Amino acid sequence: MDGTTAGYDATRARWAADNEAYWMAAAAGLDWHRPPSRAFFPDQGSYGLWFADGWLNTCHNALDRHVLAGRGADTALIYDSPVTATQARYTYAELLARVEKLAGALAARGVGKGDRVIIYMPMLPEALMAMLACARLGAVHSVVFGGFASAELAARIDDAQPVAVITASCGIEGARVVHYKPLLDAALDIAAHKPAFTLLLQRPQEQAAMGPRDVDFETALATATPHPCVPVEATHPLYILYTSGTTGKPKGIVRENGGHAVALHHSIPMIYGLSPGDVMWSASDVGWVVGHSYIVYAPLLAGCTTLIYEGKPVGTPDAGAFWRVCAEHQVKLLFTAPTAIRAIKKEDPKGALLAQYDLSRLEALFLAGERCDPDTAQWAETLLARPVIDHWWQTETGWPITGAFRGLGLFPARLGSGGKASPGFDVVAVDEAGHELPPGTMGTLAIKLPMPPGCLNTLWQAPERFREAYLEHYPGYYDTSDAGMVDEDGYVWVMGRTDDIINVAGHRLSTGQMEEVLSGHPDIAECAVIGVADALKGQAPLGLVVLKAGVNKPNETVTAELVARVREHIGPVAAFREARVVARLPKTRSGKILRQTLRKIADREEYAVPPTIDDPAILDEIKAVLGC
């Protein structure tokens, strides 16, 4: 690694000179049932489609291709579960055999190309297998994060209308058993759509009661006939991943098979500098886009070894879990959120736990999901004596918009920046009128169309909503809804959101969705939720509520009821813990709450340090604005 931008500059220049040839060369690294005649079809889709006349199967490229190439004995998957004291390894051949049987079990019950399957599972190898089995059949999977409550799961069931649900009897969080099956049963009671069956993995920690719709996971596999890969069009959906929408209604991001496989396969050597056989640990969850892209698909498409970790790798009782896992499984590249590194810094500021482990195989730490403050990045780099690389991307893009490109020389990072734009992404800052701004000027970050392969082209059953949310505000551009700038050297600086999405520990959450839940409380007349700084999670939601006339409750009681309500309706993922009663909310003459005013209070530039949820200064300013 030369530490200069020369390799990156040459690669980006090659892409800029011939976008078509660049992506056709990338596509040649995969197996195609019918190779595409060209890379980009500008007259199709919302802004064009990638590899539209090609046919392939993503599961074949992630598993079968490597086994056929003689790498069946190489390790594909490592499972590490300290919460159950369990570890397991699967070779590519072993993983393929399980996925073939699971695909056969689904097909025997009527699941086929185009059918949707909800996957609601903890961090288990079977979750990854379920995703790949759906891909093998040409079915469309939608993974729902286990932290979501029944109402949120029901909303996704009604939107995706799956023919089947794959779940487990329980998950484990520390010493607590999370009852997945009752949560699913409650969601199915709420949902208008009823899947034909549920495939249920019974875990030793809890045996769930079987209902008339339920099929035992292991019994189904034992009796199944292995199923071959079903070739699909490159534009055929691989998965739907729901992300928070500004209206409170989740948006179903659709990922297509062809562009997704090309982009992720291409990203592993270019951005992360990994080769077949290298161990990559993305310390995320399969319910989020990082889990989809860099726990499941990208490492396997590239022939690497991926790692699934069940449990929270930061916190009691094992604050050194990150380092233990990296040492024990010879992890070459660790990918996590800045929140995790801040938590390690808080618990072990001098790195005493790190000194207990041999991290000689670890070469780099990658961070994403939220902006990493320079102090945290510098602390980690000093502690590890290895590159710490912050890079920026979104659920919608599916792979990094920016980076520092280990495979192209790993040019110098600039603390606070996400690096430079990946080949395929043309990132600019624009003003409210959509005019491009000069280098170093703050604005809304936008990406010139077309987006590269792997990015969303529509929302599930909502093409108009897709255009309204992403394309219409700045014609000719994709609106990231992130504020920031591009400096004179091409480094991209992401400073925060321009909509009502807040970023809590790398999880994008809608304040509008939380407001809907709060307003449903019988004592609440009106409310607003804003994001304020949190030392550990980056941001945390703060609810401001006006009580109905005649309600006389202690603030502590109101807060406790609202916290419980958000947990019930959205789930613990919302991390909603604070609500404050105020006399009124600032409004326009037409009665619209001035949420931007409230957000600006929390982001006031004169604060030397952004105010936290516990800082009385922010509450004093809010009260001053509200006149209470």
PDB file of all heavy atoms in Angstrom, residues 358-386:
ATOM      1  N   ASP A 358      -3.542 -11.509  20.581  1.00  0.00           N
ATOM      2  CA  ASP A 358      -2.651 -11.422  19.421  1.00  0.00           C
ATOM      3  C   ASP A 358      -3.468 -10.970  18.217  1.00  0.00           C
ATOM      4  O   ASP A 358      -4.253 -11.733  17.655  1.00  0.00           O
ATOM      5  CB  ASP A 358      -2.023 -12.788  19.150  1.00  0.00           C
ATOM      6  CG  ASP A 358      -1.138 -12.779  17.909  1.00  0.00           C
ATOM      7  OD1 ASP A 358      -0.900 -11.691  17.339  1.00  0.00           O
ATOM      8  OD2 ASP A 358      -0.707 -13.874  17.484  1.00  0.00           O
ATOM      9  N   LEU A 359      -3.278  -9.724  17.825  1.00  0.00           N
ATOM     10  CA  LEU A 359      -4.018  -9.169  16.691  1.00  0.00           C
ATOM     11  C   LEU A 359      -3.118  -9.020  15.463  1.00  0.00           C
ATOM     12  O   LEU A 359      -3.338  -8.146  14.625  1.00  0.00           O
ATOM     13  CB  LEU A 359      -4.623  -7.813  17.060  1.00  0.00           C
ATOM     14  CG  LEU A 359      -5.662  -7.802  18.183  1.00  0.00           C
ATOM     15  CD1 LEU A 359      -6.279  -6.417  18.323  1.00  0.00           C
ATOM     16  CD2 LEU A 359      -6.753  -8.833  17.938  1.00  0.00           C
ATOM     17  N   SER A 360      -2.148  -9.892  15.355  1.00  0.00           N
ATOM     18  CA  SER A 360      -1.184  -9.757  14.265  1.00  0.00           C
ATOM     19  C   SER A 360      -1.824  -9.932  12.895  1.00  0.00           C
ATOM     20  O   SER A 360      -1.297  -9.446  11.889  1.00  0.00           O
ATOM     21  CB  SER A 360      -0.040 -10.763  14.436  1.00  0.00           C
ATOM     22  OG  SER A 360      -0.539 -12.098  14.495  1.00  0.00           O
ATOM     23  N   ARG A 361      -2.950 -10.642  12.825  1.00  0.00           N
ATOM     24  CA  ARG A 361      -3.608 -10.827  11.519  1.00  0.00           C
ATOM     25  C   ARG A 361      -4.524  -9.670  11.151  1.00  0.00           C
ATOM     26  O   ARG A 361      -4.923  -9.536   9.996  1.00  0.00           O
ATOM     27  CB  ARG A 361      -4.413 -12.136  11.535  1.00  0.00           C
ATOM     28  CG  ARG A 361      -3.560 -13.399  11.666  1.00  0.00           C
ATOM     29  CD  ARG A 361      -2.636 -13.582  10.466  1.00  0.00           C
ATOM     30  NE  ARG A 361      -3.364 -13.818   9.230  1.00  0.00           N
ATOM     31  CZ  ARG A 361      -3.737 -15.010   8.785  1.00  0.00           C
ATOM     32  NH1 ARG A 361      -3.434 -16.093   9.487  1.00  0.00           N
ATOM     33  NH2 ARG A 361      -4.387 -15.151   7.651  1.00  0.00           N
ATOM     34  N   LEU A 362      -4.915  -8.849  12.122  1.00  0.00           N
ATOM     35  CA  LEU A 362      -5.810  -7.733  11.846  1.00  0.00           C
ATOM     36  C   LEU A 362      -5.058  -6.616  11.140  1.00  0.00           C
ATOM     37  O   LEU A 362      -4.031  -6.145  11.631  1.00  0.00           O
ATOM     38  CB  LEU A 362      -6.413  -7.207  13.150  1.00  0.00           C
ATOM     39  CG  LEU A 362      -7.429  -6.062  13.008  1.00  0.00           C
ATOM     40  CD1 LEU A 362      -8.688  -6.537  12.300  1.00  0.00           C
ATOM     41  CD2 LEU A 362      -7.779  -5.480  14.377  1.00  0.00           C
ATOM     42  N   GLU A 363      -5.567  -6.202   9.985  1.00  0.00           N
ATOM     43  CA  GLU A 363      -4.863  -5.202   9.187  1.00  0.00           C
ATOM     44  C   GLU A 363      -5.541  -3.838   9.170  1.00  0.00           C
ATOM     45  O   GLU A 363      -4.876  -2.822   8.922  1.00  0.00           O
ATOM     46  CB  GLU A 363      -4.698  -5.700   7.747  1.00  0.00           C
ATOM     47  CG  GLU A 363      -3.774  -6.905   7.631  1.00  0.00           C
ATOM     48  CD  GLU A 363      -3.512  -7.300   6.190  1.00  0.00           C
ATOM     49  OE1 GLU A 363      -4.042  -6.635   5.276  1.00  0.00           O
ATOM     50  OE2 GLU A 363      -2.777  -8.277   5.977  1.00  0.00           O
ATOM     51  N   ALA A 364      -6.859  -3.787   9.407  1.00  0.00           N
ATOM     52  CA  ALA A 364      -7.534  -2.491   9.320  1.00  0.00           C
ATOM     53  C   ALA A 364      -8.869  -2.547  10.044  1.00  0.00           C
ATOM     54  O   ALA A 364      -9.485  -3.603  10.183  1.00  0.00           O
ATOM     55  CB  ALA A 364      -7.752  -2.082   7.865  1.00  0.00           C
ATOM     56  N   LEU A 365      -9.300  -1.381  10.512  1.00  0.00           N
ATOM     57  CA  LEU A 365     -10.618  -1.189  11.107  1.00  0.00           C
ATOM     58  C   LEU A 365     -11.400  -0.230  10.226  1.00  0.00           C
ATOM     59  O   LEU A 365     -10.940   0.883   9.957  1.00  0.00           O
ATOM     60  CB  LEU A 365     -10.486  -0.625  12.530  1.00  0.00           C
ATOM     61  CG  LEU A 365     -11.771  -0.128  13.196  1.00  0.00           C
ATOM     62  CD1 LEU A 365     -12.746  -1.275  13.426  1.00  0.00           C
ATOM     63  CD2 LEU A 365     -11.449   0.589  14.512  1.00  0.00           C
ATOM     64  N   PHE A 366     -12.570  -0.671   9.778  1.00  0.00           N
ATOM     65  CA  PHE A 366     -13.449   0.176   8.974  1.00  0.00           C
ATOM     66  C   PHE A 366     -14.653   0.588   9.819  1.00  0.00           C
ATOM     67  O   PHE A 366     -15.207  -0.224  10.581  1.00  0.00           O
ATOM     68  CB  PHE A 366     -13.938  -0.564   7.727  1.00  0.00           C
ATOM     69  CG  PHE A 366     -12.999  -0.479   6.563  1.00  0.00           C
ATOM     70  CD1 PHE A 366     -11.801  -1.180   6.557  1.00  0.00           C
ATOM     71  CD2 PHE A 366     -13.309   0.302   5.460  1.00  0.00           C
ATOM     72  CE1 PHE A 366     -10.930  -1.105   5.483  1.00  0.00           C
ATOM     73  CE2 PHE A 366     -12.446   0.391   4.376  1.00  0.00           C
ATOM     74  CZ  PHE A 366     -11.256  -0.314   4.383  1.00  0.00           C
ATOM     75  N   LEU A 367     -15.068   1.845   9.676  1.00  0.00           N
ATOM     76  CA  LEU A 367     -16.201   2.378  10.412  1.00  0.00           C
ATOM     77  C   LEU A 367     -17.231   2.943   9.440  1.00  0.00           C
ATOM     78  O   LEU A 367     -16.880   3.542   8.426  1.00  0.00           O
ATOM     79  CB  LEU A 367     -15.748   3.493  11.358  1.00  0.00           C
ATOM     80  CG  LEU A 367     -14.677   3.115  12.387  1.00  0.00           C
ATOM     81  CD1 LEU A 367     -14.198   4.351  13.129  1.00  0.00           C
ATOM     82  CD2 LEU A 367     -15.195   2.068  13.353  1.00  0.00           C
ATOM     83  N   ALA A 368     -18.507   2.764   9.753  1.00  0.00           N
ATOM     84  CA  ALA A 368     -19.588   3.325   8.932  1.00  0.00           C
ATOM     85  C   ALA A 368     -20.881   3.263   9.726  1.00  0.00           C
ATOM     86  O   ALA A 368     -20.951   2.664  10.795  1.00  0.00           O
ATOM     87  CB  ALA A 368     -19.731   2.577   7.609  1.00  0.00           C
ATOM     88  N   GLY A 369     -21.924   3.864   9.184  1.00  0.00           N
ATOM     89  CA  GLY A 369     -23.240   3.850   9.794  1.00  0.00           C
ATOM     90  C   GLY A 369     -23.601   5.167  10.432  1.00  0.00           C
ATOM     91  O   GLY A 369     -24.775   5.492  10.604  1.00  0.00           O
ATOM     92  N   GLU A 370     -22.596   5.948  10.792  1.00  0.00           N
ATOM     93  CA  GLU A 370     -22.762   7.265  11.382  1.00  0.00           C
ATOM     94  C   GLU A 370     -21.422   7.965  11.244  1.00  0.00           C
ATOM     95  O   GLU A 370     -20.387   7.328  11.043  1.00  0.00           O
ATOM     96  CB  GLU A 370     -23.142   7.144  12.863  1.00  0.00           C
ATOM     97  CG  GLU A 370     -22.109   6.337  13.645  1.00  0.00           C
ATOM     98  CD  GLU A 370     -22.477   6.112  15.085  1.00  0.00           C
ATOM     99  OE1 GLU A 370     -22.749   7.107  15.777  1.00  0.00           O
ATOM    100  OE2 GLU A 370     -22.473   4.947  15.523  1.00  0.00           O
ATOM    101  N   ARG A 371     -21.431   9.276  11.341  1.00  0.00           N
ATOM    102  CA  ARG A 371     -20.184  10.009  11.253  1.00  0.00           C
ATOM    103  C   ARG A 371     -19.318   9.713  12.467  1.00  0.00           C
ATOM    104  O   ARG A 371     -19.795   9.740  13.597  1.00  0.00           O
ATOM    105  CB  ARG A 371     -20.441  11.515  11.160  1.00  0.00           C
ATOM    106  CG  ARG A 371     -19.178  12.355  11.018  1.00  0.00           C
ATOM    107  CD  ARG A 371     -19.517  13.825  10.824  1.00  0.00           C
ATOM    108  NE  ARG A 371     -18.311  14.619  10.688  1.00  0.00           N
ATOM    109  CZ  ARG A 371     -17.675  15.204  11.690  1.00  0.00           C
ATOM    110  NH1 ARG A 371     -18.127  15.070  12.929  1.00  0.00           N
ATOM    111  NH2 ARG A 371     -16.585  15.922  11.476  1.00  0.00           N
ATOM    112  N   CYS A 372     -18.051   9.422  12.247  1.00  0.00           N
ATOM    113  CA  CYS A 372     -17.123   9.160  13.342  1.00  0.00           C
ATOM    114  C   CYS A 372     -16.418  10.456  13.728  1.00  0.00           C
ATOM    115  O   CYS A 372     -15.798  11.108  12.878  1.00  0.00           O
ATOM    116  CB  CYS A 372     -16.089   8.109  12.946  1.00  0.00           C
ATOM    117  SG  CYS A 372     -14.993   7.662  14.310  1.00  0.00           S
ATOM    118  N   ASP A 373     -16.525  10.836  15.000  1.00  0.00           N
ATOM    119  CA  ASP A 373     -15.825  12.035  15.453  1.00  0.00           C
ATOM    120  C   ASP A 373     -14.319  11.800  15.389  1.00  0.00           C
ATOM    121  O   ASP A 373     -13.833  10.689  15.632  1.00  0.00           O
ATOM    122  CB  ASP A 373     -16.250  12.392  16.874  1.00  0.00           C
ATOM    123  CG  ASP A 373     -16.003  11.259  17.854  1.00  0.00           C
ATOM    124  OD1 ASP A 373     -16.770  10.273  17.825  1.00  0.00           O
ATOM    125  OD2 ASP A 373     -15.040  11.351  18.620  1.00  0.00           O
ATOM    126  N   PRO A 374     -13.555  12.823  15.040  1.00  0.00           N
ATOM    127  CA  PRO A 374     -12.103  12.655  14.878  1.00  0.00           C
ATOM    128  C   PRO A 374     -11.400  12.106  16.109  1.00  0.00           C
ATOM    129  O   PRO A 374     -10.459  11.322  15.988  1.00  0.00           O
ATOM    130  CB  PRO A 374     -11.633  14.080  14.548  1.00  0.00           C
ATOM    131  CG  PRO A 374     -12.814  14.719  13.882  1.00  0.00           C
ATOM    132  CD  PRO A 374     -14.007  14.155  14.601  1.00  0.00           C
ATOM    133  N   ASP A 375     -11.847  12.488  17.316  1.00  0.00           N
ATOM    134  CA  ASP A 375     -11.175  12.007  18.533  1.00  0.00           C
ATOM    135  C   ASP A 375     -11.259  10.490  18.651  1.00  0.00           C
ATOM    136  O   ASP A 375     -10.281   9.823  19.016  1.00  0.00           O
ATOM    137  CB  ASP A 375     -11.810  12.650  19.771  1.00  0.00           C
ATOM    138  CG  ASP A 375     -11.402  14.097  19.942  1.00  0.00           C
ATOM    139  OD1 ASP A 375     -10.462  14.524  19.238  1.00  0.00           O
ATOM    140  OD2 ASP A 375     -12.021  14.805  20.750  1.00  0.00           O
ATOM    141  N   THR A 376     -12.425   9.930  18.344  1.00  0.00           N
ATOM    142  CA  THR A 376     -12.603   8.479  18.435  1.00  0.00           C
ATOM    143  C   THR A 376     -11.733   7.761  17.415  1.00  0.00           C
ATOM    144  O   THR A 376     -11.085   6.758  17.717  1.00  0.00           O
ATOM    145  CB  THR A 376     -14.083   8.106  18.241  1.00  0.00           C
ATOM    146  OG1 THR A 376     -14.845   8.677  19.319  1.00  0.00           O
ATOM    147  CG2 THR A 376     -14.275   6.596  18.241  1.00  0.00           C
ATOM    148  N   ALA A 377     -11.724   8.273  16.177  1.00  0.00           N
ATOM    149  CA  ALA A 377     -10.910   7.652  15.126  1.00  0.00           C
ATOM    150  C   ALA A 377      -9.424   7.697  15.490  1.00  0.00           C
ATOM    151  O   ALA A 377      -8.687   6.714  15.314  1.00  0.00           O
ATOM    152  CB  ALA A 377     -11.155   8.348  13.791  1.00  0.00           C
ATOM    153  N   GLN A 378      -8.983   8.834  16.022  1.00  0.00           N
ATOM    154  CA  GLN A 378      -7.571   8.979  16.371  1.00  0.00           C
ATOM    155  C   GLN A 378      -7.203   8.065  17.533  1.00  0.00           C
ATOM    156  O   GLN A 378      -6.126   7.450  17.547  1.00  0.00           O
ATOM    157  CB  GLN A 378      -7.279  10.439  16.720  1.00  0.00           C
ATOM    158  CG  GLN A 378      -5.815  10.802  16.673  1.00  0.00           C
ATOM    159  CD  GLN A 378      -5.615  12.300  16.516  1.00  0.00           C
ATOM    160  OE1 GLN A 378      -6.362  13.099  17.059  1.00  0.00           O
ATOM    161  NE2 GLN A 378      -4.589  12.695  15.768  1.00  0.00           N
ATOM    162  N   TRP A 379      -8.102   7.949  18.520  1.00  0.00           N
ATOM    163  CA  TRP A 379      -7.856   7.058  19.651  1.00  0.00           C
ATOM    164  C   TRP A 379      -7.702   5.618  19.178  1.00  0.00           C
ATOM    165  O   TRP A 379      -6.781   4.907  19.592  1.00  0.00           O
ATOM    166  CB  TRP A 379      -9.015   7.166  20.648  1.00  0.00           C
ATOM    167  CG  TRP A 379      -8.904   6.211  21.795  1.00  0.00           C
ATOM    168  CD1 TRP A 379      -8.213   6.388  22.959  1.00  0.00           C
ATOM    169  CD2 TRP A 379      -9.499   4.903  21.884  1.00  0.00           C
ATOM    170  NE1 TRP A 379      -8.337   5.280  23.769  1.00  0.00           N
ATOM    171  CE2 TRP A 379      -9.117   4.355  23.138  1.00  0.00           C
ATOM    172  CE3 TRP A 379     -10.309   4.154  21.044  1.00  0.00           C
ATOM    173  CZ2 TRP A 379      -9.536   3.087  23.548  1.00  0.00           C
ATOM    174  CZ3 TRP A 379     -10.725   2.893  21.444  1.00  0.00           C
ATOM    175  CH2 TRP A 379     -10.340   2.368  22.687  1.00  0.00           C
ATOM    176  N   ALA A 380      -8.601   5.171  18.298  1.00  0.00           N
ATOM    177  CA  ALA A 380      -8.548   3.793  17.814  1.00  0.00           C
ATOM    178  C   ALA A 380      -7.295   3.544  16.987  1.00  0.00           C
ATOM    179  O   ALA A 380      -6.661   2.486  17.098  1.00  0.00           O
ATOM    180  CB  ALA A 380      -9.794   3.487  16.987  1.00  0.00           C
ATOM    181  N   GLU A 381      -6.910   4.513  16.167  1.00  0.00           N
ATOM    182  CA  GLU A 381      -5.729   4.334  15.328  1.00  0.00           C
ATOM    183  C   GLU A 381      -4.464   4.251  16.171  1.00  0.00           C
ATOM    184  O   GLU A 381      -3.567   3.443  15.906  1.00  0.00           O
ATOM    185  CB  GLU A 381      -5.633   5.477  14.316  1.00  0.00           C
ATOM    186  CG  GLU A 381      -4.659   5.207  13.189  1.00  0.00           C
ATOM    187  CD  GLU A 381      -4.910   6.106  12.001  1.00  0.00           C
ATOM    188  OE1 GLU A 381      -4.607   7.304  12.101  1.00  0.00           O
ATOM    189  OE2 GLU A 381      -5.428   5.626  10.970  1.00  0.00           O
ATOM    190  N   THR A 382      -4.401   5.059  17.214  1.00  0.00           N
ATOM    191  CA  THR A 382      -3.244   5.023  18.110  1.00  0.00           C
ATOM    192  C   THR A 382      -3.201   3.706  18.873  1.00  0.00           C
ATOM    193  O   THR A 382      -2.142   3.078  19.015  1.00  0.00           O
ATOM    194  CB  THR A 382      -3.304   6.206  19.093  1.00  0.00           C
ATOM    195  OG1 THR A 382      -3.296   7.430  18.357  1.00  0.00           O
ATOM    196  CG2 THR A 382      -2.106   6.178  20.038  1.00  0.00           C
ATOM    197  N   LEU A 383      -4.348   3.263  19.355  1.00  0.00           N
ATOM    198  CA  LEU A 383      -4.420   2.030  20.123  1.00  0.00           C
ATOM    199  C   LEU A 383      -4.054   0.814  19.279  1.00  0.00           C
ATOM    200  O   LEU A 383      -3.281  -0.044  19.703  1.00  0.00           O
ATOM    201  CB  LEU A 383      -5.829   1.862  20.693  1.00  0.00           C
ATOM    202  CG  LEU A 383      -6.079   0.634  21.567  1.00  0.00           C
ATOM    203  CD1 LEU A 383      -5.364   0.776  22.904  1.00  0.00           C
ATOM    204  CD2 LEU A 383      -7.575   0.439  21.789  1.00  0.00           C
ATOM    205  N   LEU A 384      -4.603   0.749  18.071  1.00  0.00           N
ATOM    206  CA  LEU A 384      -4.422  -0.433  17.228  1.00  0.00           C
ATOM    207  C   LEU A 384      -3.129  -0.405  16.422  1.00  0.00           C
ATOM    208  O   LEU A 384      -2.654  -1.458  15.981  1.00  0.00           O
ATOM    209  CB  LEU A 384      -5.606  -0.569  16.259  1.00  0.00           C
ATOM    210  CG  LEU A 384      -6.962  -0.932  16.882  1.00  0.00           C
ATOM    211  CD1 LEU A 384      -8.069  -0.780  15.849  1.00  0.00           C
ATOM    212  CD2 LEU A 384      -6.929  -2.360  17.420  1.00  0.00           C
ATOM    213  N   ALA A 385      -2.603   0.796  16.182  1.00  0.00           N
ATOM    214  CA  ALA A 385      -1.439   0.964  15.300  1.00  0.00           C
ATOM    215  C   ALA A 385      -1.747   0.388  13.918  1.00  0.00           C
ATOM    216  O   ALA A 385      -0.894  -0.254  13.294  1.00  0.00           O
ATOM    217  CB  ALA A 385      -0.192   0.315  15.901  1.00  0.00           C
ATOM    218  N   ARG A 386      -2.963   0.618  13.478  1.00  0.00           N
ATOM    219  CA  ARG A 386      -3.431   0.166  12.174  1.00  0.00           C
ATOM    220  C   ARG A 386      -4.340   1.226  11.589  1.00  0.00           C
ATOM    221  O   ARG A 386      -4.914   2.040  12.333  1.00  0.00           O
ATOM    222  CB  ARG A 386      -4.199  -1.158  12.289  1.00  0.00           C
ATOM    223  CG  ARG A 386      -3.307  -2.354  12.619  1.00  0.00           C
ATOM    224  CD  ARG A 386      -4.142  -3.522  13.106  1.00  0.00           C
ATOM    225  NE  ARG A 386      -3.319  -4.701  13.358  1.00  0.00           N
ATOM    226  CZ  ARG A 386      -2.601  -4.878  14.455  1.00  0.00           C
ATOM    227  NH1 ARG A 386      -2.593  -3.952  15.400  1.00  0.00           N
ATOM    228  NH2 ARG A 386      -1.887  -5.984  14.613  1.00  0.00           N
TER     229      ARG A 386
END
